[in-house]
Amino acid sequence: MELLRFTTAGSVDDGKSTLIGRLLYDSKSIFEDQIEAIEKAGRNQGKSEIDLALLTDGLRAEREQGITIDVAYRYFATPKRKFIIADTPGHIQYTRNMVTGASTANLAIILIDARNGVIEQTLRHAYIASLLQIPHIVVCINKMDLVDYDEAVYEKIKKQFESFAPKLEVRDIKFIPISALKGDNVVEPSENMPWYRGTTLMYLLENIYIKGDYNHTDARFPVQYVIRPQSEEFHDYRGYAGRIDGGIFKVGDKIKVLPSGLESKIKSIDTLNEKLDFAFAPQSVSITVEDDIDISRGDMIVKPNNLPVQSQDITAMISWFNERPLQVRGKYILRHTTNEVKCIIQEVKFKMDINSMNKNTEDKEIKMNDIGKIKIKTAKPLFFDAYRKNRNTGSFILIDDITNETVGAGMIVTDKA
Amino acid sequence: MNNYHLNHLRELEAESIFVFREVAAQFDNPVILFSGGKDSIVMFHLARKAFYPAKVPIPLLHIDTGHNFEETIKFRDNLVEKYGVKLYVGSVQKTIDEGKVREETGYNASRNVLQTTTLLDSIEEHKFDAAMGGGRRDEEKARAKERFFSHRDEFGQWDPKNQRPELWNLFNGKKRMGEHFRVFPLSNWTELDVWQYIYMEDIEIPNLYFTHKREVFERDGVLLATAPFMTLKPNEKTEILDVRCRTIGDITNTGLTRSKADNLKDIIDEIAAERTTERGQRLDDKRSETAMEDRKKEGYF
Ligand SMILES: Nc1nc2c(ncn2[C@@H]2O[C@H](COP(=O)(O)OP(=O)(O)O)[C@@H](O)[C@H]2O)c(=O)[nH]1
């Protein structure tokens, strides 16, 4: 069974909660006591029939305000796949939550209310999905029951969306007309839309090809922790533990360690269960090397013929999360793979106007929920790839060194990609 | 490319191992909260994987309500001995004796809420800066928004509205003096994943999870085990049934399931067909719809 992580985006009332409730309900992932609990909650709010949306609303504050305010994770499984949903709200002020949910997703569902068509927020959602390089996007045109299941409405919205799709960097976009409330094309094919020849949403979620979503080309192994048992049996053992961020490592492979540049060969790849001949992203393993060289957390093991960029100068798209705007000349802590360095913001190149997708070079103040392009200088070199090439070695977060809060998320841009 | 793909359990495993190593690297004095239940047993198994061939460098902390199934304590002590890991015990009885909390009275008296004080005291006493718990996001709504690395203020409180964004696999464990983190390596696991993993890895678990005959009684639709410190209501009758535990916790609020499952495969089939969540069988969560959220804010597990 495979794991698929997806995120859902839509404006308030587009039917996101209803859709998730429907997926959970129709895939029988809702337990009876949860149904009992939401029936009770619904009665307290004076509602009569069971409201699928209540299943996905988490905390008390939200229930009181009737809105989702943070990222919440949901789980369901079918015989084919296990799914993790990052449920994020569609409010303008909550870009940060969408970015957070999108960062680990293989797929994004973007909801559009068939009566409203593509609106500003749709563009925003699509832009974020593209910025975060979510490999697959499914545009669900919802509430088709309210537009008489009319093919023309669907086609018009699809065209609207496609007209700005060239501005996005998305490899795979699909469209599905649905009614989350009535269930059309969610799990069961719709009898009301015989003109639609595509698959249901569930079929797509279960079958979309995701084996290619990890980078298995560029070998990258950030060292996370050094294992030294110092026991009799493993007297001189030194294992470099970490999670493979890209590519494939085989026993006997020539490797290079950054930043030292020293080379060696892989002696063994160890796990509790067995010794492996090879390991690949995203496995967590422990690697030993032939030569006695100094390697520590923050170093990166790569192959001599395929090196990441090594530099103290980084250009990146940044998504800002904090009330206090990004400070040009400000110092932050930058966390990238297993590395942590001090850095200074050198320049804001532009602020992205997400609604028009224009680059604003006049007003360059990056405030909470803004996205922009910046230049950073780090106190020591980092080893990275373009985010487009590798979502793990191309991403970083910025941390405020006084409050310790995570204030921004960066996606590295390089000349090559 | 087909060879280079993990199934869902191996992917979850890789993620959890990553979290363990991140904790060992980012914190000075982490601890694993060990209840003796299956989630904490799986957590410990993952810890062994994370640090193999070294011993698990993180000690265990058991918050002992004093109301245990005997089997749990035996299992705990065996595990500690077998793997040479250090164990701390925080005693709820001691917290009560010291007058820091007052014992609930009445039929539904439970020490579950009291555990929070003992837990926070133990964290403070031993200066733990990260407490790793087996909480899973699928257990309960309030947990669904919990982070892997969850920041707690100096009073041990959780502020669900002011959580740090968590992106990719970049975990921010920075904190001020006196603050600590709760870390949940099993965040993305479901109950079924845990059972499938126990089966796949052949992990030893207490016999309580398998069918056995036990004296039980029914209260609010939940089957509870009889014990010296449990008082029966006049209309409650005990009977001996074939039952097993779906979770193992404090005896006073651990609901038992009627079952004849005596092996993991049968348990997995049972869970897959189940129609109630495991927390639904815990009396403490039936108290109010936001019971868990309220307790978590205070510093509960
Ligand atoms: N007619 C119709 N109503 C829908 C559909 N999907 C959602 N709704 C209704 O739209 C309203 C908002 O839905 P909700 O799921 O709460 O939206 P959210 O804010 O995106 O989570 C609710 O009253 C739903 O019942 C649909 O497909 N058809």
Side-chain angles (χ1 to χ4, degrees):
Chain A
M1 195 153 89
E2 288 177 323
L3 183 62
L4 175 78
R5 299 174 199 247
F6 68 93
T7 163
T8 50
S11 312
V12 185
D13 285 346
D14 280 352
K16 203 158 51 66
S17 311
T18 308
L19 177 64
I20 295 175
R22 168 70 56 195
L23 284 169
L24 296 178
Y25 194 79
D26 285 4
S27 66
K28 313 225 176 347
S29 313
I30 298 176
F31 293 111
E32 264 157 24
D33 56 335
Q34 288 175 328
I35 293 183
E36 204 181 290
I38 61 166
E39 278 172 354
K40 203 165 137 197
R43 275 198 300 277
N44 291 343
Q45 293 179 1
K47 293 182 184 161
S48 56
E49 62 186 30
I50 125 161
D51 183 355
L52 289 177
L54 278 177
L55 272 171
T56 58
D57 284 342
L59 302 186
R60 168 182 280 184
E62 293 163 50
R63 268 196 307 281
E64 282 163 4
Q65 295 163 27
I67 51 163
T68 319
I69 52 170
D70 201 329
V71 190
Y73 295 86
R74 317 280 159 199
Y75 301 83
F76 71 101
T78 67
K80 281 215 163 131
R81 274 185 183 164
K82 168 184 165 108
F83 299 96
I84 302 180
I85 314 176
D87 180 15
T88 60
H91 291 257
I92 281 191
Q93 62 269 41
Y94 292 123
T95 299
R96 70 176 224 174
N97 297 330
M98 265 203 66
V99 169
T100 304
S103 72
T104 50
N106 314 75
L107 180 146
I109 293 178
I110 296 181
L111 271 180
I112 297 178
D113 185 327
R115 295 169 303 177
N116 305 334
V118 172
I119 57 172
E120 244 176 46
Q121 285 196 36
T122 314
L123 301 185
R124 194 177 184 91
H125 300 323
Y127 176 73
I128 291 173
S130 132
L131 181 71
L132 272 289
Q133 288 286 294
I134 300 180
H136 316 278
I137 292 189
V138 182
V139 180
C140 285
I141 295 154
N142 188 32
K143 307 199 185 179
M144 288 300 293
D145 56 304
L146 297 181
V147 295
D148 297 331
Y149 297 106
D150 185 355
E151 181 177 12
V153 174
Y154 167 75
E155 285 298 336
K156 184 167 159 242
I157 295 172
K158 187 172 167 214
K159 284 219 173 62
Q160 272 181 331
F161 194 96
E162 281 171 338
S163 70
F164 72 92
K167 288 198 188 177
L168 304 172
E169 283 181 43
V170 188
R171 283 161 272 179
D172 178 21
I173 304 185
K174 295 194 166 59
F175 297 86
I176 307 181
I178 64 167
S179 167
L181 190 68
K182 314 264 175 197
D184 298 80
N185 288 333
V186 179
V187 174
E188 300 297 330
S190 170
E191 286 174 7
N192 298 309
M193 292 178 276
W195 46 265
Y196 171 71
R197 303 280 174 83
T199 65
T200 62
L201 176 61
M202 183 64 99
Y203 182 89
L204 196 101
L205 294 174
E206 286 189 320
N207 292 287
I208 198 160
Y209 183 78
I210 52 171
K211 285 188 166 75
D213 290 357
Y214 277 105
N215 178 329
H216 285 140
T217 314
D218 311 295
R220 305 283 184 261
F221 185 74
V223 176
Q224 197 186 358
Y225 187 83
V226 180
I227 295 175
R228 306 202 55 183
Q230 292 169 311
S231 61
E232 251 165 62
E233 192 188 347
F234 296 96
H235 195 73
D236 295 317
Y237 187 95
R238 258 176 165 275
Y240 304 107
R243 191 167 186 189
I244 298 173
D245 268 350
I248 296 147
F249 289 88
K250 295 192 177 71
V251 173
D253 276 353
K254 267 179 105 172
I255 51 118
K256 190 183 187 87
V257 182
L258 301 175
S260 71
L262 295 172
E263 297 192 8
S264 185
K265 272 189 180 166
I266 295 183
K267 187 163 134 195
S268 68
I269 303 173
D270 300 333
T271 68
L272 175 70
N273 299 45
E274 56 185 337
K275 284 188 173 299
L276 303 176
D277 297 328
F278 64 90
F280 52 90
Q283 279 181 300
S284 281
V285 294
S286 169
I287 288 177
T288 65
V289 299
E290 296 280 356
D291 304 279
D292 189 13
I293 52 180
D294 193 31
I295 305 177
S296 51
R297 174 173 166 92
D299 289 0
M300 191 183 276
I301 297 178
V302 299
K303 306 266 183 83
N305 60 0
N306 180 335
L307 301 178
V309 182
Q310 298 174 64
S311 175
Q312 283 177 262
D313 294 296
I314 293 172
T315 305
M317 297 301 293
I318 189 96
S319 167
W320 201 250
F321 298 153
N322 207 259
E323 308 255 336
R324 186 166 182 261
L326 173 86
Q327 309 290 311
V328 176
R329 308 303 309 160
K331 294 197 177 83
Y332 295 92
I333 297 165
L334 185 153
R335 184 179 280 279
H336 168 258
T337 66
T338 56
N339 230 321
E340 196 180 281
V341 296
K342 289 222 158 90
C343 76
I344 181 162
I345 310 298
Q346 291 193 299
E347 186 192 341
V348 175
K349 297 216 162 218
F350 61 80
K351 177 157 93 175
M352 195 75 195
D353 181 338
I354 304 175
N355 299 326
S356 64
M357 291 216 249
N358 288 327
K359 296 167 184 170
N360 190 339
T361 49
E362 307 283 302
D363 167 19
K364 296 198 286 193
E365 193 181 32
I366 308 283
K367 296 190 289 289
M368 176 128 108
N369 291 307
D370 283 341
I371 288 168
K373 190 172 186 178
I374 59 172
K375 278 184 71 174
I376 300 179
K377 190 160 204 86
T378 55
K380 53 178 200 181
L382 293 182
F383 334 111
F384 57 85
D385 296 289
Y387 183 76
R388 280 181 51 179
K389 197 163 136 185
N390 188 317
R391 291 169 88 188
N392 289 325
T393 57
S395 56
F396 62 85
I397 54 172
L398 293 181
I399 298 169
D400 184 304
D401 61 355
I402 294 171
T403 64
N404 293 326
E405 288 169 311
T406 302
V407 291
M411 288 135 280
I412 300 174
V413 184
T414 63
D415 300 336
K416 279 179 255 160
Chain B
M1 289 302 259
N2 264 317
N3 280 338
Y4 304 126
H5 201 74
L6 299 178
N7 74 28
H8 73 293
L9 295 175
R10 290 290 176 223
E11 191 165 337
L12 292 171
E13 175 188 65
E15 178 177 85
S16 303
I17 291 174
F18 179 85
V19 172
F20 266 103
R21 290 168 172 169
E22 212 48 29
V23 167
Q26 288 198 35
F27 295 93
D28 295 327
N29 196 16
V31 71
I32 297 170
L33 300 175
F34 189 85
S35 69
K38 64 178 190 314
D39 297 325
S40 57
I41 292 168
V42 164
M43 255 211 305
F44 185 72
H45 185 77
L46 291 162
R48 285 177 56 220
K49 291 203 164 200
F51 303 106
Y52 173 85
K55 282 186 185 161
V56 175
I58 308 177
L60 307 183
L61 171 62
H62 181 213
I63 299 303
D64 181 359
T65 63
H67 294 169
N68 299 295
F69 290 98
E70 205 181 309
E71 294 90 331
T72 313
I73 301 297
K74 267 200 209 130
F75 188 92
R76 176 195 81 186
D77 293 343
N78 277 339
L79 179 135
V80 165
E81 168 143 357
K82 186 164 170 190
Y83 298 112
V85 63
K86 187 166 171 50
L87 171 74
Y88 293 91
V89 178
S91 159
V92 175
Q93 186 63 53
K94 187 161 157 264
T95 312
I96 295 169
D97 294 344
E98 287 169 355
K100 288 183 176 156
V101 291
R102 268 184 298 167
E103 179 118 54
E104 290 180 12
T105 54
Y107 289 116
N108 283 334
S110 157
R111 291 184 165 183
N112 199 45
V113 181
L114 311 186
Q115 290 183 88
T116 304
T117 307
T118 312
L119 172 61
L120 293 177
D121 281 358
S122 303
I123 288 173
E124 201 174 312
E125 180 187 343
H126 302 291
K127 306 254 174 303
F128 293 126
D129 54 0
M132 306 186 72
R136 306 187 319 264
R137 289 174 180 150
D138 81 319
E139 275 179 76
E140 212 278 338
K141 291 191 278 221
R143 288 205 193 275
K145 2 199 97 175
E146 185 62 274
R147 305 295 196 253
F148 276 92
F149 274 42
S150 180
H151 179 258
R152 299 303 151 106
D153 66 15
E154 46 185 331
F155 303 103
Q157 299 183 105
W158 181 54
D159 179 1
K161 278 196 174 169
N162 196 17
Q163 302 195 73
R164 292 180 186 172
E166 209 158 69
L167 297 100
W168 300 291
N169 51 11
L170 296 168
F171 299 116
N172 174 2
K174 291 201 172 295
K175 63 190 177 315
R176 289 181 228 191
M177 283 280 285
E179 298 176 342
H180 76 274
F181 270 77
R182 297 291 171 83
V183 179
F184 302 100
L186 302 183
S187 288
N188 280 331
W189 298 56
T190 61
E191 187 189 13
L192 193 56
D193 296 331
V194 168
W195 282 112
Q196 287 174 336
Y197 187 72
I198 290 172
Y199 178 69
M200 182 172 87
E201 291 279 304
D202 200 12
I203 302 171
E204 198 185 332
I205 52 169
N207 288 329
L208 291 168
Y209 284 114
F210 301 103
T211 187
H212 56 283
K213 289 204 188 299
R214 186 176 286 276
E215 191 179 69
V216 297
F217 64 96
E218 196 180 316
R219 177 176 296 171
D220 299 338
V222 179
L223 282 182
L224 295 171
T226 56
F229 35 79
M230 299 276 283
T231 325
L232 294 190
K233 293 181 190 172
N235 62 340
E236 289 171 341
K237 281 193 292 289
T238 65
E239 54 188 324
I240 299 200
L241 293 177
D242 292 306
V243 292
R244 58 175 208 86
C245 292
R246 204 165 150 189
T247 65
I248 294 182
D250 185 294
I251 227 175
T252 60
N253 55 36
T254 300
L256 298 150
T257 309
R258 274 175 190 254
S259 165
K260 297 218 163 160
D262 61 357
N263 65 78
L264 288 169
K265 262 217 136 26
D266 287 354
I267 292 179
I268 290 171
D269 289 344
E270 225 178 74
I271 305 280
E274 268 291 355
R275 302 302 296 148
T276 49
T277 62
E278 63 190 306
R279 286 216 77 90
Q281 307 203 355
R282 295 179 74 133
L283 221 48
D284 42 311
D285 286 326
K286 291 222 162 182
R287 291 181 173 190
S288 96
E289 219 227 320
T290 52
M292 175 62 109
E293 184 182 337
D294 295 339
R295 267 178 293 146
K296 272 181 69 66
K297 280 187 184 164
E298 301 290 317
Y300 187 71
F301 294 85

